[in-house]
Amino acid sequence: MESKIPQGPLAEKWNNYKAKAKLVNPANRKKLTVIVVGTGLAGASCAASLAEQGYNIKSFCFQDSARRAHSVAAQGGVNAAKNYKNDGDSTFRMFYDTIKGGDFRSREANVYRLAECSAALIDHAVAQGVPFAREYAGYLNNRSFGGVQVSRTFYARGQTGQQLLLGAYQGLLRQVSLGKVDLHTRHEMLELVVIDGKAKGIIARNLETGALERHNADAVVLASGGYGKVYYLSTLAMGCNSSAIWRAHKKGAYMAGVSWIQFHPTSLPQHGENQSKLTLMSESLRNDGRIWVPKKAADSRNPNTIPEEERDYYLERKYPSFGNLAPRDISSRAAKEQIDAGHGVGPMKNAIYLDFSDAIKSQGKDKIETKYSNLFAMYEKITGINAYKEPMLISPSAHFTMGGLWVDYELMTTIPGLFALGEANFSDHGANRLGANSLLQACVDGYFIAPYTIPNYLSGELNSAKIDINHPAFEEAENAVRAQLDKFLSNKGTLSADYFHKTIGRLLYEKCGLSRSKKSLEEAIEGIKDLKKSFENDLLITGDDTLNSELEKAGRIADYLELAELMCHDALQREESCGAHFREEYQTADGEAVRNDADFCYVSAWEWQGKEKPQKLHKEPLVFEAVELTVRSYK
């Protein structure tokens, strides 16, 4: 677990690294192949950038098109420290906001690099044609997101992720047409192939035919997103899963910060038992919307008839410096407190109000419509409610995973040659992610970091013997995948894969969700163990080993069950509250988190020891030189 942080002052570390990184000359690049799993912002940008340099790329996604990656779902914006508003922003300010937002549980060097590269991303995206919002004079516009007091978020209406992905997608498809990227759609990675301790390929399943395929390479990049769908009801698409990173974990890559899960405060609430996902509403809405609940519990009056003095604008009351733009973890927990106390609203009493009436009065409906029209239209299409006339109903829901594969400064895992980018790694966000830093990290990892760090590794692979797909390691990996698929198909149970997914999701929501306790986590671990046994015996998969979505789900849920158990162990051993990890035993009298820097100022990284064996905990100490560890306050 050598983090490989470069020497020198914080602001010079990345330049020092780039100055000393090893290179591969253009003639040799065509001899090297890199597998990139995932075609979202991190995967598409990495594949396009490396192909542009001359490397041979094999790109994989389980969707029918690379542009269907879940990056399209990010709505509100992407951060960059360009200080266009002249309101005090800077690279250091953005670095500090991100460190503080993550509750001082992330590496200084990685976070500073994120802020440092942010300005270049905006210029890059504009050159690609991303239609960022502009002011009347033509300058790029900004807005604020939670956890900051400046305007650094660049946006394209409520479609920022989609527009950024289209930029990366066109770069990827350009390389496909040039023959430098071999794109495999409707393929799912089911195993990592490790030879002599190094990542050398994958086993992928063709989801249309069921055929297992062997693919070799000189390095493997996992850019497969996060695992928030383990909660079943989440803002993520149904296909999102953890299998790529979990299979790599079982081959030796450590998982870090696994229990750091972000609940987005601005989601549409659950409206029934048969729902399969929740809809994200952009955090940008909190710039103009005011969050409140009725002061009277179980108040079922129309919100427009509730007088001002009978409303509790609780975020403005509790966190006056940041108000409705308090960070996501704090805002989500505060909403849960109100709902649990009986002040929830809506048909299931599981929501709070996001009210735009004051903004419409002061700015005019046209101004609000210009900023958020597609979001308001989406809300009305789903709920039937016109948010210009009546407050939105919103609720916290599982969203982003700060945890993921442990990576060093080069974004390489504990398996040499295996890199993890974007939400698939743990590196930048600590215990809580600030809004609009997700798109930033994915783009920065793919466009500006991996194109330096991966060649630095590949330079040492030029003289290594090329591995053929007939190598015994490929056969062993394929046989293991085949055995698992056969086991699923041969099961004679009565319960569907969805049953297990819903059950594990409900258990995690209740026991390892917005708040956790020693008792709830121990109960969750026992419940997960029972569920794993039931899954082994009671699963029923209909159909055969061809086009079969139920078979796809089974493998993903098998991984979720193991991941969920590790999440609970990770949360149990961290006896403190930090960011999104809120242990009920460690809080102040007024419900604020209590961190324990003396004992837990580290990244928890877990090593797989084998099935039914406890995982081994490794600790990466976090050293802070540029910032002072302080009590995180937004009051």
Side-chain angles (χ1 to χ4, degrees):
M1 284 181 63
E2 172 55 51
S3 59
K4 300 180 188 173
I5 297 172
Q7 297 296 313
L10 186 63
E12 298 175 16
K13 289 183 184 295
W14 181 228
N15 283 333
N16 288 345
Y17 177 89
K18 290 188 290 184
K20 297 175 183 177
K22 296 175 184 177
L23 304 176
V24 179
N25 79 53
N28 284 331
R29 293 172 197 169
K30 65 184 71 172
K31 303 174 184 176
L32 296 165
T33 300
V34 179
I35 285 173
V36 181
V37 179
T39 58
L41 272 174
S45 60
C46 177
S49 299
L50 291 176
E52 188 76 41
Q53 291 179 0
Y55 297 97
N56 302 303
I57 307 299
K58 295 180 181 179
S59 175
F60 295 82
C61 67
F62 61 74
Q63 299 93 344
D64 60 349
S65 167
R67 63 167 290 193
R68 291 190 186 276
H70 196 60
S71 297
V72 301
Q75 300 163 334
V78 56
N79 286 333
K82 292 182 80 72
N83 197 30
Y84 280 1
K85 297 289 188 182
N86 197 29
D87 57 357
D89 204 8
S90 65
T91 298
F92 188 87
R93 171 63 63 182
M94 183 174 174
F95 153 74
Y96 182 76
D97 285 346
T98 303
I99 285 280
K100 177 184 175 183
D103 215 353
F104 302 92
R105 289 294 178 262
S106 51
R107 284 195 206 119
E108 279 189 336
N110 288 63
V111 175
Y112 192 90
R113 179 175 62 183
L114 179 75
E116 183 181 1
C117 294
S118 65
L121 171 63
I122 302 303
D123 299 335
H124 183 83
V126 168
Q128 288 179 321
V130 174
F132 287 122
R134 293 179 181 268
E135 297 176 339
Y136 180 76
Y139 295 109
L140 296 182
N141 204 356
N142 298 115
R143 55 192 178 198
S144 291
F145 259 53
V148 305
Q149 293 177 311
V150 298
S151 295
R152 69 165 65 105
T153 304
F154 295 77
Y155 63 98
R157 298 179 73 196
Q159 306 170 355
T160 315
Q162 178 175 339
Q163 298 301 329
L164 284 170
L165 184 62
L166 286 172
Y169 174 74
Q170 69 184 3
L172 177 67
L173 267 289
R174 175 176 180 271
Q175 295 301 323
V176 170
S177 67
L178 292 172
K180 294 304 295 180
V181 172
D182 183 13
L183 179 59
H184 298 264
T185 59
R186 296 293 290 148
H187 280 67
E188 182 173 20
M189 171 190 159
L190 293 182
E191 189 61 283
L192 177 73
V193 178
V194 178
I195 299 173
D196 296 330
K198 297 180 180 180
K200 289 296 182 181
I202 65 170
I203 304 297
R205 182 171 180 266
N206 184 320
L207 299 181
E208 294 180 351
T209 67
L212 296 180
E213 301 175 4
R214 306 177 185 183
H215 295 273
N216 58 346
D218 299 286
V220 177
V221 177
L222 300 185
S224 52
Y227 48 88
K229 197 62 186 173
V230 68
Y231 286 87
Y232 189 71
L233 281 180
S234 79
T235 65
L236 279 70
M238 286 303 293
C240 294
N241 64 84
S242 67
S243 289
I245 59 174
W246 191 255
R247 306 289 170 100
H249 171 57
K250 293 171 76 170
K251 281 297 184 78
Y254 294 0
M255 286 285 287
V258 199
S259 62
W260 289 336
I261 311 291
Q262 181 172 86
F263 284 73
H264 199 291
T266 321
S267 163
L268 297 193
Q270 181 183 2
H271 59 72
E273 288 301 317
N274 296 319
Q275 243 175 298
S276 59
K277 77 175 298 292
L278 300 171
T279 302
L280 174 68
M281 299 302 293
S282 170
E283 182 176 322
S284 63
L285 293 168
R286 294 199 281 151
N287 275 278
D288 290 297
R290 298 181 70 192
I291 291 171
W292 63 276
V293 293
K295 289 182 179 179
K296 177 185 174 183
D299 193 332
S300 59
R301 288 177 290 174
N302 182 293
N304 291 334
T305 67
I306 298 177
E308 191 73 11
E309 63 272 14
E310 295 182 33
R311 302 179 178 189
D312 182 7
Y313 295 92
Y314 58 88
L315 286 179
E316 298 173 27
R317 171 173 55 82
K318 294 180 69 174
Y319 307 102
S321 293
F322 287 75
N324 296 297
L325 285 175
R328 290 178 176 180
D329 59 321
I330 288 174
S331 300
S332 292
R333 261 197 319 275
K336 181 179 185 294
E337 289 173 4
Q338 296 296 326
I339 293 168
D340 290 348
H343 297 277
V345 296
M348 295 181 68
K349 302 300 181 187
N350 61 345
I352 56 177
Y353 289 128
L354 180 61
D355 194 336
F356 292 88
S357 57
D358 286 349
I360 290 171
K361 287 177 187 174
S362 61
Q363 300 176 44
K365 181 185 174 185
D366 290 348
K367 186 74 171 179
I368 299 302
E369 198 168 15
T370 299
K371 293 180 184 178
Y372 311 115
S373 60
N374 61 313
L375 296 171
F376 276 60
M378 180 173 73
Y379 181 81
E380 185 169 10
K381 185 175 182 179
I382 295 170
T383 66
I385 297 172
N386 184 338
Y388 295 108
K389 298 180 179 179
E390 188 175 318
M392 286 184 178
L393 294 171
I394 60 167
S395 181
S397 64
H399 178 58
F400 187 89
T401 51
M402 285 75 69
L405 290 176
W406 183 92
V407 292
D408 59 25
Y409 188 75
E410 296 183 307
L411 306 184
M412 188 158 69
T413 70
T414 46
I415 299 176
L418 178 67
F419 295 80
L421 275 54
E423 197 178 350
N425 72 36
F426 89 101
S427 70
D428 291 350
H429 308 297
N432 173 61
R433 175 177 67 80
L434 291 185
N437 270 352
S438 173
L439 293 178
L440 175 64
Q441 184 207 356
C443 290
V444 164
D445 283 1
Y447 285 127
F448 303 126
I449 299 175
Y452 285 93
T453 63
I454 294 176
N456 183 63
Y457 169 79
L458 290 175
S459 65
E461 294 300 298
L462 276 168
N463 296 322
S464 298
K466 293 297 178 184
I467 303 297
D468 187 83
I469 59 171
N470 294 316
H471 189 284
F474 275 93
E475 184 164 353
E476 181 183 348
E478 183 179 332
N479 289 341
V481 171
R482 172 58 60 198
Q484 185 190 52
L485 296 174
D486 289 345
K487 171 68 168 63
F488 292 149
L489 291 168
S490 65
N491 257 32
K492 302 301 180 185
T494 58
L495 300 175
S496 69
D498 280 339
Y499 164 82
F500 291 98
H501 197 176
K502 289 180 180 179
T503 305
I504 192 67
R506 191 178 303 112
L507 188 151
L508 288 176
Y509 256 115
E510 294 171 356
K511 309 291 185 181
C512 186
L514 274 162
S515 62
R516 302 94 184 262
S517 68
K518 183 175 186 292
K519 180 175 182 292
S520 74
L521 291 167
E522 289 174 343
E523 290 172 350
I525 291 169
E526 291 307 309
I528 293 167
K529 288 179 178 177
D530 291 342
L531 200 59
K532 286 166 68 177
K533 292 176 184 175
S534 177
F535 183 80
E536 288 281 330
N537 301 315
D538 301 327
L539 176 69
L540 172 64
I541 300 298
T542 56
D544 57 19
D545 185 18
T546 54
L547 180 63
N548 190 340
S549 61
E550 291 302 303
L551 186 58
E552 295 170 33
K553 290 179 189 175
R556 296 166 187 172
I557 292 158
D559 297 330
Y560 276 151
L561 289 168
E562 294 175 338
L563 169 65
E565 188 171 0
L566 180 59
M567 285 167 56
C568 295
H569 280 292
D570 186 51
L572 186 61
Q573 67 84 32
R574 187 169 285 277
E575 296 178 343
E576 65 166 352
S577 290
C578 62
H581 170 66
F582 189 77
R583 282 284 296 268
E584 295 169 4
E585 303 95 327
Y586 307 102
Q587 58 178 304
T588 63
D590 56 350
E592 299 299 323
V594 175
R595 240 180 31 235
N596 180 350
D597 295 329
D599 298 318
F600 294 98
C601 193
Y602 61 76
V603 173
S604 53
W606 298 88
E607 180 184 5
W608 178 263
Q609 299 289 296
K611 189 175 182 179
E612 305 305 330
K613 293 182 180 178
Q615 299 216 27
K616 182 178 181 181
L617 174 62
H618 301 267
K619 301 176 182 179
E620 180 198 346
L622 291 169
V623 179
F624 295 93
E625 299 174 353
V627 301
E628 182 182 351
L629 280 169
T630 58
V631 175
R632 179 173 173 249
S633 174
Y634 292 91
K635 294 189 173 183

